Structure formats: C-alpha cells, structure tokens
Amino acid sequence: MFLIETILTHTDYKALYEQAQLQIQSLQLQLAELKKMIFGSKGEKFIVSSNTNVVQPDLFPDDKLGEHTVIKTTLIKSFEKKQTRLNVNHPGRNPLPEGLRREVITLQPDGDVSNLKEVGREVKEVLEYQPGELFVKQYVRPEYIEITEDRLNARRVIAALPAMPLEKSIAGPSLLTHLLVSKWVDHQPVYRQLEIFKRQDVTINHSTVSGWIKDAMELIEPVYNLHCKEVLNTDYLGVDETTIKVLDKDKKGTTHRGYYWVYYDTGRKLALFDYQPGRGAIYPQSMLHRFKGYLQTDGYDAYETFDKVEGVTTLCCWAHARRKFYDAKDYDNAGAEKILTEIQRLYEIEAHCRDECLTREQIKEYRFTHAVPILTALKKLLQDFLVKSLPSSPLGKAISYTLKRWEKLCLYTTDGKLQIDNNLVENSIRPVALGRKNYLFAGSHERAQDAAMLYSLFATCRLHGVNPEKWLTHLFEKINVTAKNDLHLLLPQNYTAVAS
C-alpha cells in the first residue's frame, strides 16, 4: 500500500499531459503540411491582427489520397497506350483543306523580267496561324527562262523562298510559335491543341507535331546556350528548385522525380531554368563552377557547399523564414504573430525603397537606419522565445531555423542591390506549377530539358514585358539567316530594340 501511494505521489501528470499535447501538435502540423502540399494554395499573406484565429478547413476526406494515386496511374497508362499507336510507316502528309483561307504571295525574281517568258509556276503551301484562325500562306513563284544573247543557252529565273524555320515542313513560324506558347505559356497540352484544330477541319497527326516541336527545339538551343552564358555572367544570383515528373523507360509504371534548378539575375531580370534528374549539390556546383559573387538561397543543405567556395558569398531568404512562422501560427498564435509583425516591418521598409525608387546607396543607408535596429530587436525576441518554446514545437523549429541562418538573413542590409528574399525566383517558377496541373509530366529527360529552355526564354519575355508570341515568331523567321555572332540579337531582352 505504501509503495502504491509513493508512485502516485511522484507521477507528474502535468508533464505527461504537456508531452501528449506536444505530440498531438506535432502530428497536426505534419497533417496540415501534407494537406497544403497536396491540396493547398501557396498564399502566405500576413495581416497584422491581435484577434486573428485561423481555422484549418477540412480539405482531406478519407478517399482523396487514394483517388490521387489512381489518377496518376491511369494517366501514365494512357500515355503509354498512345505511344503504341504510332505508325512505323508514315502514311503521308494529310492534304491541307481547300476551304482554308489562302494568302497568296507572289515572289518575283530580282531584276527585270518583263521581257522574259513565263514557263511555269512553283507553289509551296505553308500552314500558318493567327489568333483564332489557321490559314495557308501560298508562295507563288513565277518561273522564267532567260535566253542568252547568242540564243545558244538559257537559264532558269525564279525568286528565292523566304527563310523557313523547318525547310521540309508545312509548319510556318507563326504555327510553331502558337504550338509552343500554347503549351508552355498557356499550359495547353498538344493533344488539346490538335482537338481545337480539328474544329477548323484541320487534322494533324500527334507524331507530326511532336516532330515539329523536336526540330524547333534544336533551332532554339543555340539561343538558349547563349542565354545561359548571359545569366551566369553576373555577381548576384538567386537560386531555387522545383520538381517535375518525368517518364523514364527504366521505371515502369511510375514517373521519375526530376528538378528544375532556377537561376535568376535580379539586376538584369534574366531567368534560367536547368533540368537535372536529382536535387544533389553536384548540380548547382556544375552550373556555377565559374560563378563569383552573391548567391541567395533558401538555406537548403545543397547550397551550403558554396560557403567554402572562394569568391562566393551566400545569403538566405526572409520569405522562407517567414513561412515557417506563418505555419506555426496555428499552434502558438500569440508568439508567431508577434514575430511575424516584426518581419512585416522589414518588408514595409523594402516597399518604401521601391516606391521611392531609391538608388543602391540610398537603399543601403535607409536599411542601416531603419532595418538594422528592427533586426537587432528581433534577434533578442527570438532568443527569448527560444528559451520558452519546446525545441520540437512548430515555433521552436521556426526559431531554430532562423537563428541558425541569422547572419545570412541579415546580409542583405550591407548592399543596396541585394534583395530581402528570393521571391523573384519563385515568381519565375510559378508557370511550372501551372503546367504540372495540365500536362502532368515530361515525356523523357530530354523533353524536360527542352521545356527548361522555353521556360527560361518565356520567363525572360515576361520580365521584360515582351510578347512571347511576337518574339518567338521573330526568332523562327530570323534564326536560319542570322550569323552566329549576331545570335544575341534574338534574345528576348534584346527583342524590343531590334523590332523597333
């Protein structure tokens, strides 16, 4: 009896209760993160309020995860089935419908042909596209015979065709552009585009269009390679990565998880996507082996290898730190909101610098006067909360993450050209997320890299306010007649100057 009473006296039920509550909170956090990853939005807008109570909606019915798996499997089987339908022996090109509008362009040879006798005509038809309409450009070239003065010889006189992107194809520059922009800007898979064409009585085989796209990528590749050199020739880059599912012949019945590594030149507004099959440190190391300057990242371990690279200074992103406190708000509302309010003050300083169009030196001075004191007070606040918070709690993890990277998070205040976060990189990545919801996966590792080329160039178009359709049509019209030394004129950031 005495033994039982002693045990009851020394049992700390309060500690057991707190431990159980902590475990429940940890499991709730994991569940919330899983819901957000599968179904949730990426919005993290924080509005300062002392009475804000966020209730997590029930977005996770019991059968959702199972449905997601079934959909994934069905789509992959559909893709494989479609591939088996491809004919080995091509039946021949489908004739262009007679009912399509034809824009007849007559090309006369250079020089005077008024005294020459026309002996025939060569006609080449090129399928073109303008918004809402497929039409045919019909290049008619009168053919002449010029007889020499001695009447013993004659030569054929005919105008040259304009340069075509794909010489032996009926696909004109505007049609190729429409196919690529529709898929990688408007996120319309090719099979959907072909269904739209059928409504205009134009039937094109999927294999034919796939061949056009593959050949078009070969034309674009030299411009992309030049773009890579341009982007990496800077002293300040933001870096982030995002996933892409890829069909792999070595992985039957499933997809490979590949990665787009995204590099952003903040000063010149240039974005670069590079596809790689993994997320290891070897991939950014290979791309940035000659880079010297500031490298801004989210603190992922792969980037820590650059801490030891001479000439490279790494800094971290406040948006990623803020995100962790935002996620912790549901479990420690008062503490997380107090920290988020201070972080919000840092962002208000950045908004002031943008609104006032301050120079690089003025930004540095303004941050030193206003942001540095806030950071000093915020660090003390975090240290005080760290003592009171359990290390494994959401708030404790957020504080540990932030304090571990504190110097790298504060480094942006030392130079006016540096950004407070990596949001400019994440903005460039968003089209990839939209694309994943539509075409779901890349057909191979090679096609994933093709997509990286277009994502790079289209993102740069957007950053420079360039119409991607006009730019890409211009590229296809000029690429085969542009000298290698002049390829830089075809880059999106140079398009406005060239076009004007």
Side-chain angles (χ1 to χ4, degrees):
M1 184 68 179
F2 176 77
L3 179 61
I4 295 175
E5 289 178 353
T6 303
I7 294 174
L8 292 175
T9 303
H10 289 83
T11 301
D12 191 345
Y13 290 104
K14 182 179 180 182
L16 290 174
Y17 174 79
E18 290 178 349
Q19 184 178 359
Q21 288 297 108
L22 179 59
Q23 186 176 7
I24 290 171
Q25 287 185 0
S26 177
L27 292 172
Q28 286 176 333
L29 177 62
Q30 294 178 41
L31 179 60
E33 289 175 347
L34 181 60
K35 290 180 183 179
K36 184 176 180 181
M37 180 179 66
I38 300 176
F39 304 109
S41 65
K42 298 296 183 181
E44 298 166 5
K45 186 174 181 180
F46 172 70
I47 301 174
V48 179
S49 173
S50 59
N51 297 316
T52 301
N53 292 316
V54 180
V55 180
Q56 176 68 36
D58 185 9
L59 299 176
F60 199 72
D62 293 339
D63 59 340
K64 281 289 183 183
L65 189 59
E67 289 180 5
H68 178 76
T69 304
V70 172
I71 291 171
K72 173 182 174 185
T73 305
T74 303
L75 283 170
I76 293 173
K77 287 183 178 178
S78 175
F79 179 87
E80 292 172 349
K81 185 176 181 180
K82 184 176 289 186
Q83 288 288 58
T84 60
R85 292 178 183 172
L86 299 181
N87 298 321
V88 176
N89 297 319
H90 197 284
R93 181 179 296 163
N94 294 323
L96 296 174
E98 293 296 330
L100 286 180
R101 176 175 70 84
R102 275 166 169 74
E103 181 180 307
V104 179
I105 302 169
T106 302
L107 304 174
Q108 293 287 1
D110 294 335
D112 184 12
V113 296
S114 59
N115 295 324
L116 303 182
K117 180 180 179 180
E118 183 177 334
V119 295
R121 291 195 168 200
E122 285 195 5
V123 178
K124 177 180 176 62
E125 292 193 331
V126 176
L127 187 62
E128 293 279 10
Y129 176 88
Q130 67 182 24
E133 180 190 21
L134 285 164
F135 68 99
V136 176
K137 271 188 179 178
Q138 190 178 81
Y139 294 93
V140 178
R141 298 185 294 159
E143 183 178 3
Y144 301 91
I145 292 295
E146 182 180 22
I147 302 175
T148 59
E149 292 181 0
D150 57 12
R151 313 291 293 181
L152 297 177
N153 296 295
R155 71 181 185 92
R156 179 173 180 255
V157 179
I158 191 170
L161 279 169
M164 297 290 174
L166 308 180
E167 291 296 338
K168 296 182 180 180
S169 169
I170 63 168
S174 60
L175 179 60
L176 290 175
T177 294
H178 177 70
L179 290 167
L180 299 183
V181 171
S182 293
K183 180 168 182 178
W184 280 284
V185 176
D186 301 326
H187 319 295
Q188 286 283 355
V190 170
Y191 78 90
R192 292 185 193 170
Q193 298 183 55
L194 297 184
E195 289 297 322
I196 295 172
F197 292 168
K198 282 182 180 180
R199 295 200 292 268
Q200 299 185 46
D201 298 323
V202 178
T203 301
I204 308 175
N205 293 332
H206 193 285
S207 59
T208 299
V209 174
S210 297
W212 291 350
I213 292 176
K214 181 180 178 181
D215 293 341
M217 294 300 182
E218 292 179 2
L219 287 176
I220 295 172
E221 187 173 1
V223 178
Y224 170 77
N225 292 337
L226 181 60
H227 180 72
C228 290
K229 294 179 181 178
E230 288 278 323
V231 175
L232 300 178
N233 185 25
T234 183
D235 61 355
Y236 176 33
L237 279 177
V239 189
D240 205 349
E241 71 286 334
T242 188
T243 60
I244 178 69
K245 293 179 180 178
V246 181
L247 288 180
D248 191 327
K249 62 182 180 181
D250 297 328
K251 296 184 177 181
K252 301 292 184 181
T254 186
T255 56
H256 174 83
R257 175 180 284 186
Y259 287 86
Y260 287 128
W261 294 81
V262 187
Y263 305 88
Y264 185 84
D265 178 353
T266 305
R268 294 177 295 170
K269 297 182 179 179
L270 305 177
L272 171 62
F273 285 68
D274 176 48
Y275 170 76
Q276 295 293 347
R279 201 186 178 204
I282 185 175
Y283 302 115
Q285 287 174 349
S286 175
M287 180 64 77
L288 302 174
H289 66 284
R290 295 181 180 176
F291 174 77
K292 302 296 180 185
Y294 291 104
L295 190 66
Q296 189 163 28
T297 73
D298 59 3
Y300 171 50
D301 293 344
Y303 301 118
E304 292 183 0
T305 58
F306 288 96
D307 293 342
K308 302 175 183 179
V309 177
E310 184 179 356
V312 176
T313 302
T314 56
L315 64 155
C316 284
C317 164
W318 267 108
H320 284 84
R322 180 179 60 181
R323 187 172 301 151
K324 295 187 178 298
F325 291 105
Y326 187 89
D327 292 339
K329 193 157 61 74
D330 293 342
Y331 307 98
D332 190 337
N333 187 279
E337 281 207 353
K338 192 168 184 179
I339 295 169
L340 285 169
T341 300
E342 295 304 306
I343 297 175
Q344 185 72 11
R345 292 175 63 194
L346 296 175
Y347 275 86
E348 289 171 358
I349 292 170
E350 298 307 302
H352 172 82
C353 293
R354 287 193 302 271
D355 295 342
E356 298 298 323
C357 300
L358 301 184
T359 65
R360 177 173 166 179
E361 194 58 38
Q362 289 172 333
I363 292 173
K364 177 182 176 181
E365 183 179 346
Y366 193 82
R367 285 171 174 170
F368 181 78
T369 304
H370 297 87
V372 170
I374 294 175
L375 287 166
T376 302
L378 178 57
K379 183 178 182 180
K380 185 178 185 306
L381 180 66
L382 293 173
Q383 291 171 335
D384 291 342
F385 271 113
L386 184 63
V387 176
K388 303 174 185 177
S389 303
L390 294 170
S392 57
S393 69
L395 185 61
K397 291 179 179 179
I399 294 172
S400 297
Y401 172 92
T402 304
L403 290 177
K404 180 182 177 182
R405 297 162 177 82
W406 187 255
E407 291 184 4
K408 294 181 180 180
L409 285 167
C410 295
L411 191 60
Y412 81 98
T413 62
T414 64
D415 194 325
K417 75 177 179 182
L418 302 179
Q419 300 291 318
I420 190 173
D421 57 32
N422 240 3
N423 278 351
L424 293 173
V425 186
E426 294 196 358
N427 290 342
S428 298
I429 290 175
R430 285 178 183 174
V432 178
L434 292 173
R436 283 196 299 250
K437 295 178 180 179
N438 286 272
Y439 51 77
L440 301 177
F441 50 78
S444 67
H445 296 287
E446 291 76 14
R447 300 293 77 79
Q449 179 54 29
D450 287 345
M453 293 195 297
L454 289 176
Y455 279 134
S456 301
L457 298 168
F458 287 151
T460 302
C461 281
R462 184 173 62 255
L463 292 167
H464 286 263
V466 171
N467 184 319
E469 283 198 286
K470 291 183 177 179
W471 165 75
L472 190 54
T473 301
H474 172 76
L475 182 146
F476 282 140
E477 290 173 345
K478 300 296 183 182
I479 187 69
N480 285 330
V481 293
T482 300
K484 185 177 180 179
N485 293 337
D486 293 330
L487 280 180
H488 66 279
L489 299 175
L490 299 180
L491 292 171
Q493 59 269 30
N494 298 329
Y495 170 72
T496 302
V498 173
S500 61

